[in-house]
């Protein structure tokens, strides 16, 4: 079908065949061809100046999720028809700068958009507030996702707020303890699947409709709408003056897809004149999208994924086609970093006092690699997105804590001994 006249506030369209469907259709793939869907909105009936005024007014506003959420502040571009919001609130994450990390990466000014400051500690909350709001709008009773951990924690929290049953499918033995603990604490039922993330995602895609569960992985286009606000918010923080580069870790490719769509819409609405170049950074052992980039995206690649960064241990990313568009439209790059580079970058981010989980450090490792290769020039303005909080996955500490007797002399002796790092 297609809407010719009287377009509603929002609808969904298949990015492969163009088939359109109403905004409350619960199917997360095109019913005609199985392609990925995207949400489309009627262009806001406001000028650029009026939109900017609204976004500025609401920022840090006094009451209600519409004002205090860094997602719903942009609701004209996210879900204009939303009424009952399931909002924590979320977003409003800081843009951080540390000279130590300029020095580490070799760029003159690196800003870090730290999405670990979201309520459950990762960027997933931005997509989940919209996804669970949509679940309530369409009358879903139970929600489900496959996850390497962060999506599960976020889904569990928002489902609890909306009083929906939540089920999460996780690769057995491969999820950081903090993330699994969060999902269980918020009340989700967790299933440890004997397989990897890709097996979990295949299983939920095959079973959700039959089991009456609303699927909230980022194949669901409403998740993408929420994740666009990482871009909206960081550009607002930069006075709508885009940097040259935005660098993000890439796993299932939901973020790259969302960033591409956000930049496309901002250009369409005249909010920015030029798009930054997007860079997706994959772990070398889980890099099917980087393989695709290397061959001009002639074919889809699958790998058996291995990396220390469990959040991005993904071999068959779902948002492939959307992310290809994002890279092509922004003259973007997709690169790989080794596990050693990831751990080295994580140590640098942690020692700067900021901290992040391993997958997030891939973005900083990517900036360093591109700066060393001269692809990012010293004076280019760069934003790297840190996707998750240090406490999600503290892993092996850089050096051990030292145990002492509770006496002044023991403390004095211990301090006098050379520190171990
Ligand atoms: N960084 C972190 C901390 C993540 O948790 C994820 C994905 C990514 C980066 C990659 O983002 O998939 O949009 O390319 N985590 C998902 C999960 C798979 O289940 O929590 P992407």
């Amino acid at each position: 079908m297609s809407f010719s006249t009287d377009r509603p506030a929002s609808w969904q369209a298949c990015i492969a065949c163009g088939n359109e469907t109403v905004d409350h259709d619960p199917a997360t793939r095109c019913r005609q061809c199985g392609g990925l869907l995207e949400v489309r909105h009627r262009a806001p009936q406001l000028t650029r100046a009026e939109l900017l005024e609204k976004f500025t007014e609401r920022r840090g506003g006094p009451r209600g999720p519409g004002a205090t959420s860094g997602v719903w502040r942009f609701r004209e571009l996210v879900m204009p028809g939303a009424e009952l919001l399931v909002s924590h609130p979320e977003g409003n994450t800081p843009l951080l700068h540390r000279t130590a990390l300029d020095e580490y990466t070799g760029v003159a000014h690196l800003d870090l958009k730290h999405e670990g400051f979201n309520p459950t500690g990762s960027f997933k909350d931005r997509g989940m507030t919209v996804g669970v709001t949509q679940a309530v709008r369409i009358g879903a009773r139970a929600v489900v996702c496959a996850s390497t951990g962060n999506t599960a924690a976020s889904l569990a929290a928002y489902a609890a707020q909306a009083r929906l049953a939540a089920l999460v499918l996780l690769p057995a033995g491969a999820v950081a303890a903090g993330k699994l603990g969060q999902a269980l604490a918020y009340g989700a039922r967790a299933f440890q699947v004997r397989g990897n993330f890709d097996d979990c995602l295949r299983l939920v895609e095959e079973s959700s409709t039959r089991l009456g569960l609303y699927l909230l992985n980022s194949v669901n286009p409403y998740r993408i709408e929420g994740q666009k606000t990482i871009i909206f918010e960081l550009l607002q923080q930069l006075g709508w003056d885009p940097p040259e580069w935005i660098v993000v870790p890439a796993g299932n490719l939901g973020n790259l897809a969302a960033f591409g769509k956000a930049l496309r819409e901002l250009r369409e609405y005249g909010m920015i004149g030029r798009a930054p170049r997007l860079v997706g950074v994959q772990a070398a052992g889980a890099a099917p999208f980087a393989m695709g980039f290397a061959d001009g995206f002639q074919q889809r690649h699958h790998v058996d994924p291995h990396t220390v960064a469990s959040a991005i241990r993904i071999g068959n990313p779902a948002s492939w086609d959307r992310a290809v568009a994002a890279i092509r439209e922004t003259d973007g790059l997709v690169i790989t970093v080794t596990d050693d580079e990831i751990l080295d970058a994580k140590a640098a981010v942690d020692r700067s006092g900021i901290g992040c989980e391993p997958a997030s450090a891939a973005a900083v490792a990517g900036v360093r690699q591109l700066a060393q290769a001269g692809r990012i020039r010293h004076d280019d303005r760069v934003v790297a997105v840190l996707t998750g909080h240090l406490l999600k996955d503290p892993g092996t500490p850089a050096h051990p804590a030292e145990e002492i007797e509770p006496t002044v002399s023991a403390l004095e002796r211990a301090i006098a001994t050379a520190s171990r790092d």
Side-chain angles (χ1 to χ4, degrees), residues 195-216:
N196 61 22
F197 170 82
D198 303 299
D199 296 314
C200 296
L201 186 57
R202 183 184 41 76
L203 182 54
V204 290
E205 285 220 63
E206 281 171 7
S207 61
S208 58
T209 306
R210 174 166 159 193
L211 301 177
L213 305 168
Y214 186 52
L215 180 59
L216 275 173

Side-chain angles (χ1 to χ4, degrees), residues 123-124 146-152 179 197 227 249-255 311-312 314 357 359-360 387-388:
F123 71 95
K124 304 288 181 182
S147 180
T148 55
N150 282 326
T151 303
K179 302 176 186 178
F197 170 82
Q227 284 171 215
N252 210 24
L253 307 179
N255 258 344
I312 51 172
I314 295 173
E357 70 164 281
S360 311
T387 45

Side-chain angles (χ1 to χ4, degrees), residues 80-95:
E83 280 162 14
L84 255 179
L85 307 182
V86 184
S87 171
H88 197 100
E90 49 289 306
N92 293 312
T93 60
L95 207 51

Side-chain angles (χ1 to χ4, degrees), residues 43-129:
Q45 305 296 302
L46 298 169
T47 64
R48 174 182 192 270
E50 286 165 342
L51 275 175
L52 288 181
E53 195 183 312
K54 270 191 189 299
F55 299 162
T56 309
E57 248 171 36
R58 288 179 193 149
R59 192 172 174 190
R63 276 191 323 274
T68 55
S69 163
V71 171
W72 296 104
R73 181 160 80 241
F74 304 102
R75 61 181 173 266
E76 286 81 359
L77 311 184
V78 170
M79 188 185 265
E83 280 162 14
L84 255 179
L85 307 182
V86 184
S87 171
H88 197 100
E90 49 289 306
N92 293 312
T93 60
L95 207 51
L96 305 173
H97 174 256
R98 295 290 181 275
T99 308
L101 294 174
D102 295 344
E103 290 162 8
Y104 176 73
T105 53
V107 299
H109 193 94
L110 173 67
D111 278 319
L112 298 158
K113 178 72 173 154
H114 205 328
E115 289 295 302
F117 282 65
N118 271 294
T120 75
S122 83
F123 71 95
K124 304 288 181 182
D125 296 336
R126 291 186 185 262
M128 213 50 86
T129 180

